[in-house]
Amino acid sequence: MADEIRAEMVANVWKVVVSTGDSVSEGDTLVILESMKMEIPVVAESDGVVERLAVNEGDVVSDGDLIAVIG
């Protein structure tokens, strides 16, 4: 079953660390968000492969927006 990783706040996508097809482990950083001059890492919640990356550097995400799908 695929894990959907979603934004928990309004923020800018500062850096995308992984690519579609990359293998990740639980706790690996996928994306770094920037909000109010703070960097917030978004991490994988389980082991798997990045099936979809829904953001690009420079995007703005809102609470609940899809960031990535890990399968």
Side-chain angles (χ1 to χ4, degrees):
M1 179 149 180
D3 248 349
E4 291 186 345
I5 309 298
R6 296 191 174 270
E8 296 181 1
M9 67 184 73
V10 175
N12 295 311
V13 178
W14 181 70
K15 185 165 181 85
V16 176
V17 180
V18 297
S19 300
T20 302
D22 287 355
S23 293
V24 294
S25 298
E26 181 178 349
D28 285 355
T29 299
L30 306 173
V31 171
I32 300 173
L33 302 179
E34 184 273 326
S35 181
M36 297 173 35
K37 308 243 186 229
M38 293 178 57
E39 295 176 12
I40 301 106
V42 176
V43 299
E45 297 172 358
S46 61
D47 297 347
V49 175
V50 179
E51 291 182 356
R52 179 174 174 214
L53 198 54
V55 296
N56 295 300
E57 291 180 10
D59 288 353
V60 176
V61 293
S62 296
D63 185 24
D65 285 356
L66 181 66
I67 292 178
V69 176
I70 308 294

